[in-house]
Amino acid sequence: MSTVSSQYPTTMEPMNTSTEQPLLQVENVAHYYGSRVGCAKVSFSLWPGEVLAIVGESGSGKSTLLNIISGRLALSEGSITYRDAAGQPYDIANLPEGAKRRLLRTEWGFVHQHPRDGLRMAVSAGGNIGERLMACGERHYGTIRNAGKEWLHRVEIPENRLDDTPASYSGGMQQRLQIARNLVSSPRLVFMDEPTGGLDVSVQAKLLDLLRHLVRNLGLAVVLVTHDLAVARLLADRMLVMHQGAVVEAGLADQVLDDPHHPYTQLLVSSILQG
Amino acid sequence: MTAQTDTMHSMENHAEACFQYNFAYLDEQTKRMVRRALLKAVAVPGYQVPFGSREMPMPYGWGTGGIQISAAIMGQDDVLKVIDQGSDDTTNAVSIRSFFRKVAGVATTTHTSEATIIQTRHRIPEEALQEGQVMVYQVPIPEPLRWLEPSETETRTMHALEEYGIMHVKLYEDIARHGEIATSYDYPVLVGGRYVMSPSPLPKFDNPKMDNCPALQLFGAGREKRVYAIPPYTTVKSLDFEDHPFAVQTWLRPCALCGSTESYLDEVIVDDAGARLYVCSDSDYCAARQAQGHVGDGMPVAAPQGTGKEA
């Protein structure tokens, strides 16, 4: 694999030439499941407001990568640095648990593939959206409720569903509620694991539209894991193609999709059904 | 009157009891273990300390946690009062009092002011507690976060990191569903500005009594194997929202027996038509007031429309 990597661009040169610092700097990270490789030798930088897609087949290590950069899985090698709004760097691998969890509920968001993993199913939509605000110290019921209403509106869920539990929502609504719940604290970086995974095609399209809208308007940086190249093309600025735990190709999303260099990427691109 | 009889019994039973049981039932090693846990609990107010809870001669849920604490802290000179739902006369209260009379030979009482140890389930006596008294609470579920977070590992982490936002989610849900904070018992409190604690099935009416209380308050959960404590004069704050502040229950009527307007009232259904009598839940307080000449109207209230059986 190492000989292959050298033939194709697998690291990314920063596209931002201003003095701004990258939001997330991932250097040579690896995670091993015993002797098995989860992912290895992955490096990239993510800039504020940028959407990075990690694509690859199942078992290629994309979820492992997402979990290590979001601090949910221990790092075997390498380093991850996150810079907060004040420019303060955080070494994610060695961050104390408390600071990590604080990041996860303030500056970060995590959208799970299955809304059930990211929502409290027995708590009303308003409570789900308000949870982060309350965790950050908001103690005014009216304010929390208004934020809930506003976010339901923004993710196109009727306001009168505010007091219903997510259990009574459709799959697409649950996923939109999960997004609202994550975005309410105005995070700077959102991790998404197959956000459109379990949804049917028309709902997927609507959700993608909404996501694109929110990401552009809020200037969110997003790390998006998907096996669906269409999702990557629609949302992502740049992409990493993973295969057997390694990044085989990286670059601007359109560039990679229109002119794939690595044989695996070519296979991936050619396997999209053409209408 | 009950108090006098209890004391007499205890004198008779003491000699006999000494041959059959170790003082206060538990063996000395167990009592030391419980005391060590209690010392830690007092040192870290509101923190749940694990302890090696023993089998007691009563079922879980009947106060095995409270009875172990009482046994561990009891001395020969202590005077024990036990209440269940505020009353000294309920089965549980009578049994636990007679248990300790038998196995420890201590004096028992029903008068709050005379007691040095007050073991309770559900209530704090209406009469103000004093320095030197110890409240022992029987706790079924010690973990206030349990209803929202099933994992013990996770709730411990949340306590360690002071992540208590989720407690307010519970209160938020109450207001969203009922228009007010409908949690009326086991109302979560913040102890000493640090740990969120479950005050056992105490009605929220009693929450303010825990704040800055001169008595030592000990909590024992036998089945869950946890003890925790509030040392004397510790701040205990009931959680709330700025625009929905904490408030205790109020009643439209005074106690039907003693006319008190300041006590926690039980609703007792007195006939087949569903008529209700509102009476103090604290039997000692009510009796003392009646002895002082306070009288209520003694009148039941007619059943609310649409409920209760027709006569």
Side-chain angles (χ1 to χ4, degrees), chain A residues 68 71 73-75 78-81 90-100:
Chain A
I68 55 179
L73 201 59
L75 211 55
S79 75
I80 301 163
T81 313
Y90 292 89
D91 176 7
I92 299 303
N94 298 314
L95 207 57
E97 181 72 11
K100 203 184 283 179

Side-chain angles (χ1 to χ4, degrees), chain A residues 2-271:
Chain A
S2 59
T3 50
V4 176
S5 324
S6 59
Q7 283 176 330
Y8 306 100
T10 57
T11 52
M12 284 187 233
E13 55 283 8
M15 40 183 250
N16 202 325
T17 50
S18 72
T19 52
E20 216 176 345
Q21 301 263 38
L23 197 64
L24 193 70
Q25 211 153 10
V26 177
E27 277 164 35
N28 226 1
V29 299
H31 181 83
Y32 301 106
Y33 296 105
S35 58
R36 206 163 285 143
V37 179
C39 69
K41 292 183 192 154
V42 179
S43 301
F44 67 86
S45 304
L46 184 73
W47 298 82
E50 188 182 30
V51 180
L52 174 75
I54 302 172
V55 299
E57 62 191 1
S58 74
S60 62
K62 21 181 229 304
S63 293
T64 302
L65 179 60
L66 188 75
N67 284 335
I68 55 179
I69 57 182
S70 58
R72 293 151 54 91
L73 201 59
L75 211 55
S76 305
E77 278 168 23
S79 75
I80 301 163
T81 313
Y82 171 77
R83 273 191 190 74
D84 72 2
Q88 170 82 25
Y90 292 89
D91 176 7
I92 299 303
N94 298 314
L95 207 57
E97 181 72 11
K100 203 184 283 179
R101 291 166 71 118
R102 193 160 54 245
L103 269 186
L104 265 169
R105 67 170 185 264
T106 53
E107 299 217 345
W108 292 3
F110 199 107
V111 177
H112 296 263
Q113 175 174 6
H114 301 295
R116 277 168 187 278
D117 298 337
L119 291 173
R120 290 189 189 280
M121 298 307 281
V123 168
S124 72
N128 265 293
I129 296 176
E131 184 179 340
R132 271 180 170 234
L133 297 176
M134 292 183 246
C136 297
E138 178 58 59
R139 292 289 178 264
H140 193 280
Y141 176 79
T143 313
I144 295 164
R145 200 163 171 80
N146 286 337
K149 280 183 191 159
E150 191 200 325
W151 271 100
L152 276 195
H153 177 71
R154 286 171 91 157
V155 296
E156 296 163 17
I157 296 174
E159 219 173 80
N160 60 14
R161 303 297 303 271
L162 186 65
D163 293 334
D164 295 346
T165 60
S168 71
Y169 280 19
S170 72
M173 283 164 80
Q174 287 180 358
Q175 195 57 291
R176 278 179 279 159
L177 179 64
Q178 195 195 175
I179 290 164
R181 170 184 156 92
N182 272 286
L183 297 187
V184 68
S185 65
S186 317
R188 301 171 69 225
L189 173 59
V190 179
F191 301 99
M192 296 188 188
D193 189 3
E194 307 268 15
T196 58
L199 306 173
D200 67 59
V201 186
S202 64
V203 176
Q204 242 184 53
K206 232 172 129 182
L207 184 74
L208 281 174
D209 216 35
L210 175 78
L211 268 181
R212 189 165 56 165
H213 189 75
L214 288 173
V215 164
R216 291 287 174 265
N217 284 354
L218 302 172
L220 288 177
V222 178
V223 179
L224 172 77
V225 160
T226 180
H227 61 266
D228 187 342
L229 290 182
V231 172
R233 189 192 282 273
L234 207 61
L235 287 178
D237 300 311
R238 286 189 301 153
M239 59 193 284
L240 299 176
V241 183
M242 293 196 68
H243 185 51
Q244 291 178 354
V247 174
V248 292
E249 192 163 347
L252 293 174
D254 289 342
Q255 206 173 7
V256 172
L257 291 171
D258 293 341
D259 182 19
H261 286 204
H262 189 275
Y264 175 71
T265 319
Q266 289 169 355
L267 180 78
L268 211 59
V269 171
S270 66
S271 64

Side-chain angles (χ1 to χ4, degrees), chain B residues 21-31 34 54-56 67-72 99 103:
Chain B
Y21 296 101
N22 186 38
F23 179 75
Y25 186 77
L26 291 175
D27 62 277
E28 292 304 313
Q29 287 302 312
T30 300
K31 286 198 262 181
V34 177
R54 298 290 191 259
E55 292 275 340
M56 295 303 283
I67 209 170
Q68 286 180 77
I69 292 184
S70 294
F99 174 77
V103 300

